Amino acid sequence: MANVVVVGSQWGDEGKGKIVDWLSERADVVARFQGGHNAGHTLVIDGVTYKLSSLPSGVVRGGKMSVIGNGVVLDPWALMAEIASITEKGVEITHDNLKIAENTTLILPVHSQLDQLREKAAGKNKIGTTGRGIGPAYEDKVGRRSIRAMDLQNLDSLRAKIDKLLVHHNILRRGMGEPEVNGDELYEKVAAIAPSITPYIEPVWKLLDEQRKAGKRILFEGAQGALLDIDHGTYPYVTSSNTVAANAATGCGIGPGALDYVLGITKAYTTRVGEGPFPAELFDEDGKRLGERGHEFGTVTGRQRRCGWFDACLVRQMIKVSGINGIALTKLDVLDGFSELKVCVAYDLDGERIDYFPASQGAQARVKPIYETVPGWSQSTEGARSWADLPAEAVKYVRRIEELIECPVAMLSTSPEREDTILVTDPFED
């Protein structure tokens, strides 16, 4: 039985939530392996909309185990609020179907406060974070001073660990002219949430190993997109974790040999939230039309997304970096009604044609897209569930994308609804 990794191949917001939910019907375990509650997934099931940010998308399906891996940074208060919200919609979440890795780093109030203070101080040079503390929490993780989920199980030693954490944070706060954090108050806040979190804590690496040996199918769910990877993305306008598929192994405590198939979720056009380079960005009526038709607003923040034509160079590069075997092309229906479409096939960098996105921040700002124009279609693709339901020009568009990105389309999504999906290759059976 294959285990599948799902990652975004662009800047996030590609529609991973729906695809993961669709695939989870075939999976036994769904595991989140990186990111925090800054990444939102929207699921529409039988007319009910679920907005998830910390919880794996598999929680909305009964009989599935959901896992939050050690590569995630977790805000306990945000998690409990999300559980309460989902429970109100009839989804049952218990310690039997939700597991949190014991070595998961926690996001504390000091992290979100520092995040927001830095963005404010940066002014026009801000990164464009959500201000939810993800970056500072990862910093504390690599700085070996973070509070982890397992620390909630031993409150006797927690106070000393908080003191160690605050030595670092209070120095930063003094330097920014901000009052220091009171250790006693932070301890009381963390201790109060502990009983709500501890029932879910498990040695996830052991659990996943047991599930594999039992022949269970595991679906590894990434957050954001490969272009936001801390190493391979548009640095410094990136997130603070590795979003490429290889991190599914590290972020859950499982060997890379367990990753059998990588599915890259890819939007039929391109969007981005926040600051940073975006060669194919549109500032005209076409860009406005894409945003309006695609309802391009962030699930978590509500921020309007920047929109542009499909960038085959970027996607092809991320396919190679992330080892993507096939893509799930989403939001094809948003392109309905355009008389013609453009696809970025290369870049002009200071007069030279290049076929990749350079790593240099300066070069990224200077590249200009080189477009290929393809015919659009007037018929609707919304709700299509087979190739026969698609206009001929829409099929040609998909086939041309496959050629340009050097990767096959394994799935095609034609609406937010779970069943409006054309399956070409089942990743679990490939």
Side-chain angles (χ1 to χ4, degrees), residues 210-375:
E210 292 169 350
Q211 293 293 308
R212 282 192 65 214
K213 288 178 179 177
K216 303 296 185 181
R217 291 171 165 176
I218 305 172
L219 185 62
F220 296 92
E221 177 184 10
Q224 291 112 0
L227 283 164
L228 293 174
D229 186 274
I230 188 68
D231 289 301
H232 302 287
T234 50
Y235 189 92
Y237 301 100
V238 293
T239 194
S240 298
S241 61
N242 288 111
T243 58
V244 294
N247 198 31
T250 307
C252 286
I254 197 165
L259 312 180
D260 300 303
Y261 187 99
V262 181
L263 181 68
I265 314 303
T266 308
K267 195 177 286 187
Y269 50 102
T270 312
T271 62
R272 171 162 206 173
V273 171
E275 309 299 320
F278 186 169
E281 184 173 7
L282 295 172
F283 301 95
D284 57 10
E285 287 302 311
D286 285 337
K288 181 179 179 182
R289 183 177 176 185
L290 287 172
E292 290 175 349
R293 286 181 56 88
H295 306 291
E296 296 297 349
F297 297 91
T299 300
V300 172
T301 64
R303 291 187 293 179
Q304 186 171 352
R305 298 177 185 133
R306 301 154 62 189
C307 296
W309 296 119
F310 186 84
D311 192 326
C313 286
L314 285 178
V315 174
R316 181 174 63 244
Q317 190 165 327
M318 292 303 101
I319 282 171
K320 296 180 186 300
V321 168
S322 217
I324 292 172
N325 301 106
I327 69 165
L329 192 66
T330 65
K331 289 199 166 185
L332 183 68
D333 55 299
V334 174
L335 301 180
D336 293 352
F338 281 90
S339 59
E340 63 178 28
L341 304 167
K342 292 184 179 181
V343 178
C344 178
V345 296
Y347 303 118
D348 179 300
L349 177 60
D350 303 331
E352 178 186 358
R353 182 184 175 110
I354 60 174
D355 63 357
Y356 68 96
F357 199 54
S360 163
Q361 187 177 351
Q364 288 179 356
R366 297 198 309 276
V367 296
K368 298 177 182 178
I370 297 174
Y371 289 118
E372 175 181 302
T373 301
V374 298

Side-chain angles (χ1 to χ4, degrees), residues 10 59 76 80 85 87 95 97 100 113 127 171-172 192 197 203 213 228 256 290 301 325 340 356 375 385 403:
Q10 295 156 309
V59 296
M80 296 315 300
S85 174
T87 300
H95 64 274
N97 65 3
I100 300 172
Q113 292 164 12
I127 298 296
I171 289 174
L172 293 176
I197 301 297
K213 288 178 179 177
L228 293 174
L290 287 172
T301 64
N325 301 106
E340 63 178 28
Y356 68 96
R385 298 184 182 183
E403 293 173 354

Side-chain angles (χ1 to χ4, degrees), residues 41-105:
H41 293 164
T42 300
L43 311 178
V44 181
I45 302 169
D46 297 330
V48 180
T49 299
Y50 302 90
K51 294 183 181 292
L52 307 178
S53 52
S54 300
L55 292 168
S57 298
V59 296
V60 297
R61 282 194 181 273
K64 310 294 179 180
M65 182 183 297
S66 293
V67 170
I68 296 176
N70 57 274
V72 173
V73 285
L74 183 67
D75 183 321
W77 299 273
L79 174 65
M80 296 315 300
E82 189 174 335
I83 288 175
S85 174
I86 296 300
T87 300
E88 288 178 359
K89 294 187 176 183
V91 177
E92 185 178 14
I93 299 175
T94 70
H95 64 274
D96 291 322
N97 65 3
L98 176 63
K99 310 291 183 180
I100 300 172
E102 59 187 356
N103 48 342
T104 299
T105 292

Side-chain angles (χ1 to χ4, degrees), residues 89-231:
K89 294 187 176 183
V91 177
E92 185 178 14
I93 299 175
T94 70
H95 64 274
D96 291 322
N97 65 3
L98 176 63
K99 310 291 183 180
I100 300 172
E102 59 187 356
N103 48 342
T104 299
T105 292
L106 299 182
I107 301 174
L108 305 182
V110 292
H111 295 123
S112 56
Q113 292 164 12
L114 178 59
D115 206 356
Q116 294 163 24
L117 288 170
R118 283 174 169 169
E119 283 288 86
K120 181 179 179 181
K124 66 178 183 179
N125 296 317
K126 64 182 180 178
I127 298 296
T129 77
T130 59
R132 293 175 179 245
I134 280 75
Y138 275 116
E139 288 178 39
D140 284 341
K141 177 179 180 176
V142 298
R144 295 167 292 187
R145 56 181 171 264
S146 64
I147 307 300
R148 302 194 290 177
M150 66 180 73
D151 295 322
L152 302 182
Q153 296 174 316
N154 187 0
L155 297 181
D156 291 339
S157 63
L158 178 61
R159 185 65 176 84
K161 293 183 178 182
I162 286 178
D163 286 341
K164 179 181 178 181
L165 176 72
L166 291 184
V167 167
H168 174 77
H169 279 267
N170 282 335
I171 289 174
L172 293 176
R173 293 175 72 95
R174 287 197 299 270
M176 302 176 80
E178 296 292 327
E180 294 187 11
V181 175
N182 183 289
D184 290 331
E185 292 179 1
L186 181 57
Y187 169 81
E188 292 299 331
K189 187 175 181 66
V190 175
I193 197 73
S196 299
I197 301 297
T198 52
Y200 302 104
I201 295 175
E202 294 273 354
V204 157
W205 67 268
K206 184 175 184 295
L207 174 69
L208 292 179
D209 182 62
E210 292 169 350
Q211 293 293 308
R212 282 192 65 214
K213 288 178 179 177
K216 303 296 185 181
R217 291 171 165 176
I218 305 172
L219 185 62
F220 296 92
E221 177 184 10
Q224 291 112 0
L227 283 164
L228 293 174
D229 186 274
I230 188 68
D231 289 301

